[in-house]
Amino acid sequence: MKVKRFFAKSMAEALKQVSEQMGPDAVILSNRRVDGGVEIVCALDYDENMARQSLGDKAIEAANGSRLGEMQAEQHRRLEDELSRSRSRIRDVREHRAVRSQGYADASFAELHEAASDGFDELHSTGGSSNTDYSDELARMRAEISSLRDLMSGQRGEPEKSGVNAVQQRLAERLQEFGLSPDLAGSLSRRHKGGKLDDGWKQSLKMLVTGVRTPHKEWLDEGGVYALVGPTGSGKTTTIGKLAARYVLKHGADSLALVTTDRYRVAAHEQLFVFGRILNVPVRVVDESHTLDDILDELSDRHLVLIDTAGLTSSDKGYQEQLAELARSHHKVRTHLVVSATSQPRIMKSVWHCYKMAGLTGCVMTKIDEALTLGESLGFVMETGLPVAYYTDGQKIPGDLHHAEAVPLVRLAVERLKTLQQQAAAERLRGAERPREMA
């Protein structure tokens, strides 16, 4: 819930400001005459339940929605005044620093820190969850105070104190909302030593871009033997179909072959054989009479060979046999783990542990379009070090297949987070409107 105060000479001008800055969905909490004109306090994504929670015990005095809005507006004015006083004191200290050549008075720092702390404590006592704008502002002020203290400590030769400041804590929370694990989010946030939250957010995204590895060349151009492994339903066979179709469109069918090692399930080869017939590409099956190396020897003249595997778990019969066959092949088989973006991080890591004995050289992300957030997938590849070769975002063959690049992937993850936040805000707004409609 975003609350904002507007001043203008007339009510018409104030309402125009509200319309331009907050849009037609803004809710007016209070309006009153002040010196020089009028004051309006408005809220976006207003939720009466959140308002009551933020007011705490004081909300009991609100007999109706109108009174509740006025009390919320009063709280907003009080917090804004507190922020204004804190900003003024920070400005005074900086001006004081400009005219003095040595240190600062201890009393000035104590007074300044106390003012910001009082405002921070008041924010939490009145329900900080609904006042994120104030929380960010106070965090920025605290970071600025910390930088001033560090400067003073450096002049006096005092040791620098370690710990997580408010900006780092808020940054860690945002990174977890992005989808990263608490450990990775904490590690990235602690690298942001000071400054604004937005600066730390941009720095963390840059570190994510650096940490997500992607190959420069595509399989279709480089050629070779590639095997896709992963659990049932992760999208191995469909991904091979997309790769094969794209290769045929670009290079023709004569230098491509498909292989399957799935001899454990009834009718397991049907989908791959369908792809082979449509694309006019040979499909070979590894079984008791034909080993993987025998088939790869036969297909040695092919520029690209794609191997589909059975989606077995460690408890299934043939699991170790299949992975060992890939690992001990005398051909250079580049085995890639197929990871669904809809899986939980714990499941992703469990799958990685199950298949890493095959000598994984990378991964393919699937079902990107079905995932609410992508931070889980990015965190997984960053923690495991697996390069991302491709990602898929739909069922279209070969359209919904993309060569992976770190910057577009991270940008897509940020857009997905924004979409999720917008949906949550719209849902809160609808929830706030239902009680008013019933009334």
Side-chain angles (χ1 to χ4, degrees):
M1 181 170 61
K2 182 178 181 181
V3 184
K4 193 169 184 179
R5 183 162 48 164
F6 297 88
F7 296 96
K9 293 181 179 180
S10 66
M11 181 62 70
E13 291 182 13
L15 292 174
K16 183 179 179 181
Q17 291 181 25
V18 172
S19 177
E20 291 175 349
Q21 298 186 35
M22 302 190 75
D25 297 328
V27 176
I28 296 178
L29 300 180
S30 73
N31 63 86
R32 66 179 183 177
R33 291 200 168 276
V34 295
D35 292 340
V38 296
E39 174 203 87
I40 294 180
V41 180
C42 296
L44 200 60
D45 301 331
Y46 182 68
D47 188 329
E48 288 191 6
N49 292 329
M50 290 177 63
R52 289 187 180 277
Q53 291 176 9
S54 69
L55 290 170
D57 295 338
K58 296 180 182 178
I60 301 174
E61 303 173 13
N64 51 50
S66 176
R67 176 56 183 153
L68 181 65
E70 291 177 359
M71 294 176 67
Q72 184 76 20
E74 282 298 327
Q75 176 180 284
H76 175 83
R77 294 188 190 97
R78 187 171 63 255
L79 292 171
E80 270 204 345
D81 292 342
E82 185 63 42
L83 286 171
S84 179
R85 285 193 295 272
S86 297
R87 280 194 294 264
S88 177
R89 293 189 182 186
I90 289 177
R91 187 168 55 251
D92 291 344
V93 169
R94 287 204 174 276
E95 290 174 356
H96 190 54
R97 183 182 65 176
V99 297
R100 295 191 59 171
S101 58
Q102 296 179 351
Y104 303 95
D106 291 340
S108 298
F109 258 114
E111 183 182 13
L112 177 61
H113 188 268
E114 182 180 0
S117 297
D118 289 345
F120 192 75
D121 293 340
E122 181 177 358
L123 174 66
H124 280 277
S125 67
T126 53
S129 60
S130 63
N131 295 281
T132 55
D133 291 343
Y134 297 117
S135 181
D136 291 345
E137 183 69 24
L138 283 169
R140 284 193 290 271
M141 288 195 297
R142 280 196 157 183
E144 191 166 2
I145 293 169
S146 178
S147 67
L148 291 173
R149 184 188 294 109
D150 291 342
L151 178 60
M152 182 183 70
S153 298
Q155 292 172 342
R156 294 176 178 174
E158 295 177 1
E160 184 178 333
K161 295 182 179 179
S162 62
V164 178
N165 60 36
V167 175
Q168 290 175 332
Q169 183 176 356
R170 180 68 188 94
L171 178 58
E173 292 171 357
R174 182 182 288 189
L175 290 169
Q176 289 183 55
E177 187 180 2
F178 182 73
L180 300 184
S181 66
D183 289 342
L184 182 55
S187 176
L188 291 176
S189 66
R190 284 192 295 272
R191 298 186 187 185
H192 180 58
K193 299 303 182 183
K196 296 180 180 179
L197 175 62
D198 287 343
D199 293 338
W201 174 244
K202 293 176 183 177
Q203 178 185 344
S204 297
L205 293 180
K206 288 180 181 178
M207 285 189 282
L208 270 175
V209 169
T210 304
V212 175
R213 299 165 55 201
T214 56
H216 296 295
K217 289 186 177 180
E218 284 199 58
W219 300 355
L220 311 184
D221 299 324
E222 186 176 8
V225 181
Y226 298 87
L228 298 188
V229 298
T232 301
S234 59
K236 299 185 298 296
T237 306
T238 304
T239 300
I240 284 182
K242 292 175 180 178
L243 286 164
R246 181 167 294 184
Y247 184 88
V248 169
L249 289 173
K250 189 173 183 179
H251 300 287
D254 295 338
S255 56
L256 173 67
L258 306 180
V259 177
T260 178
T261 65
D262 192 351
R263 54 189 178 273
Y264 307 99
R265 298 176 301 162
V266 178
H269 318 136
E270 287 185 0
Q271 188 178 3
L272 201 65
F273 274 110
V274 169
F275 287 141
R277 285 195 297 270
I278 294 173
L279 300 173
N280 195 27
V281 171
V283 178
R284 299 288 185 267
V285 179
V286 176
D287 54 25
E288 290 76 9
S289 304
H290 304 85
T291 67
L292 177 63
D293 278 342
D294 289 341
I295 291 175
L296 292 180
D297 287 340
E298 179 189 344
L299 300 173
S300 60
D301 61 330
R302 300 282 168 158
H303 180 251
L304 181 66
V305 178
L306 301 175
I307 303 175
D308 192 15
T309 61
L312 304 176
T313 64
S314 57
S315 60
D316 291 326
K317 180 181 178 182
Y319 159 76
Q320 290 200 357
E321 178 186 359
Q322 179 177 239
L323 296 188
E325 193 170 30
L326 290 169
R328 67 170 179 255
S329 172
H330 64 259
H331 292 270
K332 185 181 179 181
V333 180
R334 294 176 235 190
T335 307
H336 283 64
L337 179 66
V338 179
V339 181
S340 170
T342 59
S343 300
Q344 298 176 359
R346 193 179 303 175
I347 295 176
M348 292 183 188
K349 286 189 177 180
S350 174
V351 168
W352 173 64
H353 281 292
C354 283
Y355 286 93
K356 65 181 181 181
M357 67 171 287
L360 298 175
T361 58
C363 71
V364 175
M365 289 186 191
T366 60
K367 304 183 182 181
I368 291 287
D369 55 313
E370 300 177 22
L372 289 177
T373 55
L374 301 182
E376 294 86 352
S377 300
L378 296 180
F380 166 75
V381 299
M382 190 171 179
E383 291 175 349
T384 60
L386 290 176
V388 187
Y390 292 91
Y391 68 91
T392 68
D393 56 1
Q395 297 297 317
K396 294 179 182 177
I397 299 175
D400 296 331
L401 174 74
H402 310 277
H403 180 240
E405 295 180 19
V407 172
L409 269 174
V410 173
R411 185 182 295 122
L412 182 61
V414 173
E415 292 173 356
R416 193 65 58 84
L417 176 62
K418 289 180 180 178
T419 300
L420 185 64
Q421 291 172 336
Q422 290 169 357
Q423 291 173 348
E427 184 61 32
R428 288 196 299 269
L429 183 59
R430 285 194 292 269
E433 288 175 348
R434 290 191 193 106
R436 290 198 292 269
E437 291 173 356
M438 294 175 62

